[in-house]
Amino acid sequence: MHAWGPVPMHLTPAEQLRARRLVISAATEAEQPPPMPLGTRAPQAARSYSLRPISKDDVEFSFARSSGAGGQNVNKVSTKVDMRFDMSKANWIPEEIKEAIRTAEKNRFNKEGVLVVTSQRHRKQMQNFDDCLTKLQEIIDAGVEACTVREADAATVKKVKDSIKAGQERRLQDKKKDAMRKKERSRKDWD
C-alpha cells in the first residue's frame, strides 16, 4: 500500500494516475499540510498553461521514401516525413512541461535531446506532414495535461473511492477462492 492508498489494478495506467491525483487532492483538502522544514521550498501553486499551437517554423523536417504497400507510388515519391523538434530552443514551453514530455516520450528523443516524430500513414506528403504536426501537438498537450492539477469534485472522489473499495473486495474474494482450492487439494480423506 502506498502513501496515497491502494489503486485498483483493473484501471489503465493513465486512469490509475488520475485516481491517485484525485485521492491525494481530496486528502489534502481535508487536512492541513504539516509545516515545511527550514531550507525547503514550498510547492508551487496550481498553474494553468496556455501554450500556442506548434507551427512548421518550430520544427525541422525531411522527407524520405515510405515503406510498405503503395504500388509504384512508394518507389517514386518521398512521402514519409521525419520531423525533429528541439525543445531546448522552445522558450515558449515551461521547464516542467518539457520534463513531463521527456519522461513520457523518452524513446522518441535522440542522443542530442531532440524529439523525433515520423509519419508514413498517408500516400500524400502534406497529409503525413500534417499528421506529424498533429502528433507533436498531442505530445505537448499530454505534457500540459500531466502538469495541470485539477480540483476534484465530491462525486469523482466518491467514485474513485468506491472503485478502490470494490477492487479490494474482489482481491480478497479471489484470495479466499484460491485458499479453498488449495485446501481441497490437501485433503487426506480420499474415501
Side-chain angles (χ1 to χ4, degrees), residues 123-154:
R123 288 178 53 123
K124 302 269 189 235
Q125 195 178 69
M126 280 312 296
Q127 287 177 326
N128 283 330
F129 185 82
D130 291 339
D131 187 43
C132 272
L133 278 178
T134 303
K135 285 180 183 178
L136 198 51
Q137 187 64 48
E138 288 172 356
I139 290 171
I140 293 171
D141 291 344
V144 170
E145 182 78 21
C147 291
T148 304
V149 178
R150 282 192 221 92
E151 293 296 322
D153 61 333

PDB file of all heavy atoms in Angstrom, residues 123-154:
ATOM      1  N   ARG A 123      -0.541   8.466 -48.275  1.00  0.00           N
ATOM      2  CA  ARG A 123       0.191   8.425 -49.541  1.00  0.00           C
ATOM      3  C   ARG A 123       0.652   9.803 -49.989  1.00  0.00           C
ATOM      4  O   ARG A 123       1.469   9.924 -50.893  1.00  0.00           O
ATOM      5  CB  ARG A 123      -0.706   7.821 -50.625  1.00  0.00           C
ATOM      6  CG  ARG A 123      -0.923   6.343 -50.465  1.00  0.00           C
ATOM      7  CD  ARG A 123      -1.832   5.815 -51.526  1.00  0.00           C
ATOM      8  NE  ARG A 123      -1.389   6.164 -52.850  1.00  0.00           N
ATOM      9  CZ  ARG A 123      -1.134   5.300 -53.825  1.00  0.00           C
ATOM     10  NH1 ARG A 123      -1.280   4.022 -53.585  1.00  0.00           N
ATOM     11  NH2 ARG A 123      -0.745   5.706 -54.997  1.00  0.00           N
ATOM     12  N   LYS A 124       0.139  10.850 -49.378  1.00  0.00           N
ATOM     13  CA  LYS A 124       0.487  12.222 -49.750  1.00  0.00           C
ATOM     14  C   LYS A 124       1.450  12.805 -48.726  1.00  0.00           C
ATOM     15  O   LYS A 124       1.288  12.627 -47.515  1.00  0.00           O
ATOM     16  CB  LYS A 124      -0.769  13.095 -49.807  1.00  0.00           C
ATOM     17  CG  LYS A 124      -1.815  12.599 -50.764  1.00  0.00           C
ATOM     18  CD  LYS A 124      -1.606  13.206 -52.106  1.00  0.00           C
ATOM     19  CE  LYS A 124      -2.780  12.893 -52.997  1.00  0.00           C
ATOM     20  NZ  LYS A 124      -2.424  12.278 -54.214  1.00  0.00           N
ATOM     21  N   GLN A 125       2.429  13.558 -49.226  1.00  0.00           N
ATOM     22  CA  GLN A 125       3.443  14.142 -48.373  1.00  0.00           C
ATOM     23  C   GLN A 125       2.837  15.155 -47.390  1.00  0.00           C
ATOM     24  O   GLN A 125       3.176  15.158 -46.202  1.00  0.00           O
ATOM     25  CB  GLN A 125       4.486  14.832 -49.256  1.00  0.00           C
ATOM     26  CG  GLN A 125       5.767  15.177 -48.567  1.00  0.00           C
ATOM     27  CD  GLN A 125       6.745  15.812 -49.523  1.00  0.00           C
ATOM     28  OE1 GLN A 125       6.522  16.926 -49.967  1.00  0.00           O
ATOM     29  NE2 GLN A 125       7.808  15.088 -49.849  1.00  0.00           N
ATOM     30  N   MET A 126       1.944  16.004 -47.838  1.00  0.00           N
ATOM     31  CA  MET A 126       1.356  17.030 -46.974  1.00  0.00           C
ATOM     32  C   MET A 126       0.475  16.411 -45.882  1.00  0.00           C
ATOM     33  O   MET A 126       0.423  16.921 -44.763  1.00  0.00           O
ATOM     34  CB  MET A 126       0.543  18.039 -47.789  1.00  0.00           C
ATOM     35  CG  MET A 126       1.386  19.098 -48.466  1.00  0.00           C
ATOM     36  SD  MET A 126       2.607  19.888 -47.399  1.00  0.00           S
ATOM     37  CE  MET A 126       1.583  20.699 -46.211  1.00  0.00           C
ATOM     38  N   GLN A 127      -0.204  15.314 -46.204  1.00  0.00           N
ATOM     39  CA  GLN A 127      -1.007  14.648 -45.176  1.00  0.00           C
ATOM     40  C   GLN A 127      -0.109  14.072 -44.084  1.00  0.00           C
ATOM     41  O   GLN A 127      -0.434  14.141 -42.899  1.00  0.00           O
ATOM     42  CB  GLN A 127      -1.862  13.546 -45.798  1.00  0.00           C
ATOM     43  CG  GLN A 127      -3.025  14.062 -46.605  1.00  0.00           C
ATOM     44  CD  GLN A 127      -3.802  12.929 -47.261  1.00  0.00           C
ATOM     45  OE1 GLN A 127      -3.225  11.911 -47.661  1.00  0.00           O
ATOM     46  NE2 GLN A 127      -5.110  13.108 -47.375  1.00  0.00           N
ATOM     47  N   ASN A 128       1.028  13.508 -44.483  1.00  0.00           N
ATOM     48  CA  ASN A 128       1.976  12.993 -43.496  1.00  0.00           C
ATOM     49  C   ASN A 128       2.591  14.133 -42.683  1.00  0.00           C
ATOM     50  O   ASN A 128       2.832  13.996 -41.483  1.00  0.00           O
ATOM     51  CB  ASN A 128       3.069  12.175 -44.177  1.00  0.00           C
ATOM     52  CG  ASN A 128       2.594  10.803 -44.574  1.00  0.00           C
ATOM     53  OD1 ASN A 128       1.721  10.227 -43.936  1.00  0.00           O
ATOM     54  ND2 ASN A 128       3.153  10.269 -45.638  1.00  0.00           N
ATOM     55  N   PHE A 129       2.835  15.271 -43.336  1.00  0.00           N
ATOM     56  CA  PHE A 129       3.377  16.431 -42.635  1.00  0.00           C
ATOM     57  C   PHE A 129       2.381  16.910 -41.584  1.00  0.00           C
ATOM     58  O   PHE A 129       2.748  17.149 -40.428  1.00  0.00           O
ATOM     59  CB  PHE A 129       3.679  17.548 -43.640  1.00  0.00           C
ATOM     60  CG  PHE A 129       4.352  18.732 -43.031  1.00  0.00           C
ATOM     61  CD1 PHE A 129       5.714  18.736 -42.811  1.00  0.00           C
ATOM     62  CD2 PHE A 129       3.618  19.840 -42.660  1.00  0.00           C
ATOM     63  CE1 PHE A 129       6.331  19.827 -42.231  1.00  0.00           C
ATOM     64  CE2 PHE A 129       4.224  20.936 -42.090  1.00  0.00           C
ATOM     65  CZ  PHE A 129       5.592  20.932 -41.874  1.00  0.00           C
ATOM     66  N   ASP A 130       1.106  17.033 -41.975  1.00  0.00           N
ATOM     67  CA  ASP A 130       0.071  17.442 -41.025  1.00  0.00           C
ATOM     68  C   ASP A 130      -0.095  16.418 -39.905  1.00  0.00           C
ATOM     69  O   ASP A 130      -0.332  16.787 -38.747  1.00  0.00           O
ATOM     70  CB  ASP A 130      -1.264  17.643 -41.742  1.00  0.00           C
ATOM     71  CG  ASP A 130      -1.245  18.852 -42.668  1.00  0.00           C
ATOM     72  OD1 ASP A 130      -0.385  19.733 -42.471  1.00  0.00           O
ATOM     73  OD2 ASP A 130      -2.083  18.894 -43.591  1.00  0.00           O
ATOM     74  N   ASP A 131       0.050  15.129 -40.239  1.00  0.00           N
ATOM     75  CA  ASP A 131      -0.046  14.075 -39.234  1.00  0.00           C
ATOM     76  C   ASP A 131       1.078  14.214 -38.204  1.00  0.00           C
ATOM     77  O   ASP A 131       0.851  14.058 -37.006  1.00  0.00           O
ATOM     78  CB  ASP A 131      -0.005  12.712 -39.915  1.00  0.00           C
ATOM     79  CG  ASP A 131      -0.278  11.571 -38.950  1.00  0.00           C
ATOM     80  OD1 ASP A 131      -1.205  11.712 -38.121  1.00  0.00           O
ATOM     81  OD2 ASP A 131       0.418  10.549 -39.025  1.00  0.00           O
ATOM     82  N   CYS A 132       2.294  14.523 -38.663  1.00  0.00           N
ATOM     83  CA  CYS A 132       3.422  14.731 -37.738  1.00  0.00           C
ATOM     84  C   CYS A 132       3.172  15.926 -36.829  1.00  0.00           C
ATOM     85  O   CYS A 132       3.432  15.858 -35.621  1.00  0.00           O
ATOM     86  CB  CYS A 132       4.714  14.946 -38.522  1.00  0.00           C
ATOM     87  SG  CYS A 132       5.576  13.445 -38.929  1.00  0.00           S
ATOM     88  N   LEU A 133       2.681  17.026 -37.395  1.00  0.00           N
ATOM     89  CA  LEU A 133       2.386  18.194 -36.566  1.00  0.00           C
ATOM     90  C   LEU A 133       1.305  17.873 -35.535  1.00  0.00           C
ATOM     91  O   LEU A 133       1.384  18.308 -34.382  1.00  0.00           O
ATOM     92  CB  LEU A 133       1.934  19.365 -37.438  1.00  0.00           C
ATOM     93  CG  LEU A 133       3.043  20.192 -38.091  1.00  0.00           C
ATOM     94  CD1 LEU A 133       2.453  21.280 -38.964  1.00  0.00           C
ATOM     95  CD2 LEU A 133       3.980  20.783 -37.076  1.00  0.00           C
ATOM     96  N   THR A 134       0.307  17.094 -35.946  1.00  0.00           N
ATOM     97  CA  THR A 134      -0.758  16.696 -35.021  1.00  0.00           C
ATOM     98  C   THR A 134      -0.201  15.826 -33.896  1.00  0.00           C
ATOM     99  O   THR A 134      -0.535  16.018 -32.720  1.00  0.00           O
ATOM    100  CB  THR A 134      -1.863  15.942 -35.780  1.00  0.00           C
ATOM    101  OG1 THR A 134      -2.352  16.764 -36.830  1.00  0.00           O
ATOM    102  CG2 THR A 134      -2.997  15.557 -34.861  1.00  0.00           C
ATOM    103  N   LYS A 135       0.654  14.857 -34.246  1.00  0.00           N
ATOM    104  CA  LYS A 135       1.269  14.004 -33.218  1.00  0.00           C
ATOM    105  C   LYS A 135       2.078  14.835 -32.236  1.00  0.00           C
ATOM    106  O   LYS A 135       2.010  14.620 -31.018  1.00  0.00           O
ATOM    107  CB  LYS A 135       2.192  12.969 -33.872  1.00  0.00           C
ATOM    108  CG  LYS A 135       1.497  11.830 -34.557  1.00  0.00           C
ATOM    109  CD  LYS A 135       2.540  10.896 -35.148  1.00  0.00           C
ATOM    110  CE  LYS A 135       1.942   9.752 -35.916  1.00  0.00           C
ATOM    111  NZ  LYS A 135       2.983   8.885 -36.510  1.00  0.00           N
ATOM    112  N   LEU A 136       2.852  15.782 -32.756  1.00  0.00           N
ATOM    113  CA  LEU A 136       3.683  16.633 -31.913  1.00  0.00           C
ATOM    114  C   LEU A 136       2.824  17.496 -30.995  1.00  0.00           C
ATOM    115  O   LEU A 136       3.136  17.646 -29.808  1.00  0.00           O
ATOM    116  CB  LEU A 136       4.582  17.494 -32.792  1.00  0.00           C
ATOM    117  CG  LEU A 136       5.796  18.125 -32.162  1.00  0.00           C
ATOM    118  CD1 LEU A 136       6.617  17.105 -31.403  1.00  0.00           C
ATOM    119  CD2 LEU A 136       6.644  18.778 -33.233  1.00  0.00           C
ATOM    120  N   GLN A 137       1.726  18.028 -31.517  1.00  0.00           N
ATOM    121  CA  GLN A 137       0.824  18.838 -30.694  1.00  0.00           C
ATOM    122  C   GLN A 137       0.177  17.985 -29.611  1.00  0.00           C
ATOM    123  O   GLN A 137       0.021  18.433 -28.470  1.00  0.00           O
ATOM    124  CB  GLN A 137      -0.250  19.498 -31.568  1.00  0.00           C
ATOM    125  CG  GLN A 137      -1.120  20.473 -30.813  1.00  0.00           C
ATOM    126  CD  GLN A 137      -0.342  21.660 -30.283  1.00  0.00           C
ATOM    127  OE1 GLN A 137       0.428  22.271 -31.009  1.00  0.00           O
ATOM    128  NE2 GLN A 137      -0.517  21.983 -29.013  1.00  0.00           N
ATOM    129  N   GLU A 138      -0.160  16.739 -29.935  1.00  0.00           N
ATOM    130  CA  GLU A 138      -0.740  15.839 -28.934  1.00  0.00           C
ATOM    131  C   GLU A 138       0.264  15.519 -27.827  1.00  0.00           C
ATOM    132  O   GLU A 138      -0.106  15.407 -26.655  1.00  0.00           O
ATOM    133  CB  GLU A 138      -1.229  14.554 -29.598  1.00  0.00           C
ATOM    134  CG  GLU A 138      -2.480  14.738 -30.424  1.00  0.00           C
ATOM    135  CD  GLU A 138      -2.859  13.507 -31.226  1.00  0.00           C
ATOM    136  OE1 GLU A 138      -2.098  12.497 -31.201  1.00  0.00           O
ATOM    137  OE2 GLU A 138      -3.899  13.546 -31.889  1.00  0.00           O
ATOM    138  N   ILE A 139       1.541  15.378 -28.188  1.00  0.00           N
ATOM    139  CA  ILE A 139       2.580  15.123 -27.190  1.00  0.00           C
ATOM    140  C   ILE A 139       2.695  16.316 -26.247  1.00  0.00           C
ATOM    141  O   ILE A 139       2.773  16.160 -25.021  1.00  0.00           O
ATOM    142  CB  ILE A 139       3.923  14.813 -27.877  1.00  0.00           C
ATOM    143  CG1 ILE A 139       3.864  13.448 -28.558  1.00  0.00           C
ATOM    144  CG2 ILE A 139       5.075  14.872 -26.895  1.00  0.00           C
ATOM    145  CD1 ILE A 139       5.046  13.141 -29.443  1.00  0.00           C
ATOM    146  N   ILE A 140       2.691  17.529 -26.805  1.00  0.00           N
ATOM    147  CA  ILE A 140       2.788  18.733 -25.978  1.00  0.00           C
ATOM    148  C   ILE A 140       1.544  18.870 -25.100  1.00  0.00           C
ATOM    149  O   ILE A 140       1.641  19.195 -23.916  1.00  0.00           O
ATOM    150  CB  ILE A 140       3.002  19.975 -26.859  1.00  0.00           C
ATOM    151  CG1 ILE A 140       4.385  19.899 -27.521  1.00  0.00           C
ATOM    152  CG2 ILE A 140       2.863  21.260 -26.053  1.00  0.00           C
ATOM    153  CD1 ILE A 140       4.632  20.944 -28.570  1.00  0.00           C
ATOM    154  N   ASP A 141       0.370  18.611 -25.673  1.00  0.00           N
ATOM    155  CA  ASP A 141      -0.872  18.695 -24.894  1.00  0.00           C
ATOM    156  C   ASP A 141      -0.872  17.686 -23.748  1.00  0.00           C
ATOM    157  O   ASP A 141      -1.362  17.977 -22.654  1.00  0.00           O
ATOM    158  CB  ASP A 141      -2.088  18.472 -25.790  1.00  0.00           C
ATOM    159  CG  ASP A 141      -2.303  19.615 -26.771  1.00  0.00           C
ATOM    160  OD1 ASP A 141      -1.711  20.699 -26.565  1.00  0.00           O
ATOM    161  OD2 ASP A 141      -3.042  19.422 -27.753  1.00  0.00           O
ATOM    162  N   ALA A 142      -0.329  16.491 -24.000  1.00  0.00           N
ATOM    163  CA  ALA A 142      -0.241  15.486 -22.933  1.00  0.00           C
ATOM    164  C   ALA A 142       0.696  15.954 -21.823  1.00  0.00           C
ATOM    165  O   ALA A 142       0.445  15.702 -20.641  1.00  0.00           O
ATOM    166  CB  ALA A 142       0.220  14.149 -23.498  1.00  0.00           C
ATOM    167  N   GLY A 143       1.786  16.636 -22.179  1.00  0.00           N
ATOM    168  CA  GLY A 143       2.689  17.190 -21.174  1.00  0.00           C
ATOM    169  C   GLY A 143       2.013  18.254 -20.339  1.00  0.00           C
ATOM    170  O   GLY A 143       2.193  18.320 -19.113  1.00  0.00           O
ATOM    171  N   VAL A 144       1.215  19.105 -20.983  1.00  0.00           N
ATOM    172  CA  VAL A 144       0.458  20.125 -20.254  1.00  0.00           C
ATOM    173  C   VAL A 144      -0.550  19.460 -19.330  1.00  0.00           C
ATOM    174  O   VAL A 144      -0.710  19.853 -18.169  1.00  0.00           O
ATOM    175  CB  VAL A 144      -0.253  21.091 -21.239  1.00  0.00           C
ATOM    176  CG1 VAL A 144      -1.226  21.986 -20.503  1.00  0.00           C
ATOM    177  CG2 VAL A 144       0.771  21.925 -21.992  1.00  0.00           C
ATOM    178  N   GLU A 145      -1.225  18.437 -19.833  1.00  0.00           N
ATOM    179  CA  GLU A 145      -2.223  17.707 -19.043  1.00  0.00           C
ATOM    180  C   GLU A 145      -1.578  17.074 -17.808  1.00  0.00           C
ATOM    181  O   GLU A 145      -2.160  17.068 -16.721  1.00  0.00           O
ATOM    182  CB  GLU A 145      -2.867  16.629 -19.914  1.00  0.00           C
ATOM    183  CG  GLU A 145      -3.933  15.832 -19.244  1.00  0.00           C
ATOM    184  CD  GLU A 145      -5.260  16.552 -19.154  1.00  0.00           C
ATOM    185  OE1 GLU A 145      -5.492  17.485 -19.925  1.00  0.00           O
ATOM    186  OE2 GLU A 145      -6.050  16.168 -18.280  1.00  0.00           O
ATOM    187  N   ALA A 146      -0.363  16.535 -17.981  1.00  0.00           N
ATOM    188  CA  ALA A 146       0.325  15.887 -16.857  1.00  0.00           C
ATOM    189  C   ALA A 146       0.724  16.897 -15.786  1.00  0.00           C
ATOM    190  O   ALA A 146       0.785  16.550 -14.602  1.00  0.00           O
ATOM    191  CB  ALA A 146       1.549  15.131 -17.349  1.00  0.00           C
ATOM    192  N   CYS A 147       0.992  18.130 -16.183  1.00  0.00           N
ATOM    193  CA  CYS A 147       1.444  19.145 -15.227  1.00  0.00           C
ATOM    194  C   CYS A 147       0.304  19.943 -14.615  1.00  0.00           C
ATOM    195  O   CYS A 147       0.516  20.661 -13.644  1.00  0.00           O
ATOM    196  CB  CYS A 147       2.415  20.104 -15.906  1.00  0.00           C
ATOM    197  SG  CYS A 147       3.976  19.338 -16.328  1.00  0.00           S
ATOM    198  N   THR A 148      -0.874  19.853 -15.178  1.00  0.00           N
ATOM    199  CA  THR A 148      -2.009  20.622 -14.679  1.00  0.00           C
ATOM    200  C   THR A 148      -2.704  19.835 -13.575  1.00  0.00           C
ATOM    201  O   THR A 148      -3.102  18.695 -13.770  1.00  0.00           O
ATOM    202  CB  THR A 148      -3.016  20.908 -15.812  1.00  0.00           C
ATOM    203  OG1 THR A 148      -2.328  21.563 -16.872  1.00  0.00           O
ATOM    204  CG2 THR A 148      -4.143  21.782 -15.325  1.00  0.00           C
ATOM    205  N   VAL A 149      -2.849  20.460 -12.420  1.00  0.00           N
ATOM    206  CA  VAL A 149      -3.519  19.825 -11.290  1.00  0.00           C
ATOM    207  C   VAL A 149      -4.975  20.253 -11.318  1.00  0.00           C
ATOM    208  O   VAL A 149      -5.284  21.439 -11.389  1.00  0.00           O
ATOM    209  CB  VAL A 149      -2.867  20.247  -9.955  1.00  0.00           C
ATOM    210  CG1 VAL A 149      -3.595  19.619  -8.779  1.00  0.00           C
ATOM    211  CG2 VAL A 149      -1.408  19.856  -9.955  1.00  0.00           C
ATOM    212  N   ARG A 150      -5.845  19.282 -11.269  1.00  0.00           N
ATOM    213  CA  ARG A 150      -7.275  19.584 -11.294  1.00  0.00           C
ATOM    214  C   ARG A 150      -7.864  19.442  -9.897  1.00  0.00           C
ATOM    215  O   ARG A 150      -7.442  18.600  -9.119  1.00  0.00           O
ATOM    216  CB  ARG A 150      -8.003  18.612 -12.227  1.00  0.00           C
ATOM    217  CG  ARG A 150      -7.835  18.953 -13.659  1.00  0.00           C
ATOM    218  CD  ARG A 150      -8.819  18.116 -14.454  1.00  0.00           C
ATOM    219  NE  ARG A 150      -8.172  17.651 -15.655  1.00  0.00           N
ATOM    220  CZ  ARG A 150      -7.538  16.508 -15.791  1.00  0.00           C
ATOM    221  NH1 ARG A 150      -7.455  15.681 -14.791  1.00  0.00           N
ATOM    222  NH2 ARG A 150      -6.975  16.183 -16.916  1.00  0.00           N
ATOM    223  N   GLU A 151      -8.857  20.264  -9.635  1.00  0.00           N
ATOM    224  CA  GLU A 151      -9.603  20.147  -8.388  1.00  0.00           C
ATOM    225  C   GLU A 151     -10.578  18.976  -8.513  1.00  0.00           C
ATOM    226  O   GLU A 151     -11.261  18.843  -9.526  1.00  0.00           O
ATOM    227  CB  GLU A 151     -10.374  21.430  -8.100  1.00  0.00           C
ATOM    228  CG  GLU A 151      -9.486  22.620  -7.803  1.00  0.00           C
ATOM    229  CD  GLU A 151      -8.679  22.434  -6.531  1.00  0.00           C
ATOM    230  OE1 GLU A 151      -9.217  21.862  -5.558  1.00  0.00           O
ATOM    231  OE2 GLU A 151      -7.515  22.849  -6.520  1.00  0.00           O
ATOM    232  N   ALA A 152     -10.652  18.169  -7.496  1.00  0.00           N
ATOM    233  CA  ALA A 152     -11.532  17.000  -7.527  1.00  0.00           C
ATOM    234  C   ALA A 152     -12.882  17.368  -6.921  1.00  0.00           C
ATOM    235  O   ALA A 152     -12.946  17.927  -5.834  1.00  0.00           O
ATOM    236  CB  ALA A 152     -10.908  15.864  -6.739  1.00  0.00           C
ATOM    237  N   ASP A 153     -13.950  17.052  -7.642  1.00  0.00           N
ATOM    238  CA  ASP A 153     -15.275  17.280  -7.083  1.00  0.00           C
ATOM    239  C   ASP A 153     -15.674  16.054  -6.250  1.00  0.00           C
ATOM    240  O   ASP A 153     -15.102  14.983  -6.371  1.00  0.00           O
ATOM    241  CB  ASP A 153     -16.303  17.584  -8.170  1.00  0.00           C
ATOM    242  CG  ASP A 153     -16.455  16.452  -9.159  1.00  0.00           C
ATOM    243  OD1 ASP A 153     -15.489  15.698  -9.328  1.00  0.00           O
ATOM    244  OD2 ASP A 153     -17.542  16.326  -9.760  1.00  0.00           O
ATOM    245  N   ALA A 154     -16.678  16.245  -5.414  1.00  0.00           N
ATOM    246  CA  ALA A 154     -17.057  15.201  -4.453  1.00  0.00           C
ATOM    247  C   ALA A 154     -17.538  13.926  -5.151  1.00  0.00           C
ATOM    248  O   ALA A 154     -17.226  12.812  -4.706  1.00  0.00           O
ATOM    249  CB  ALA A 154     -18.154  15.724  -3.530  1.00  0.00           C
TER     250      ALA A 154
END
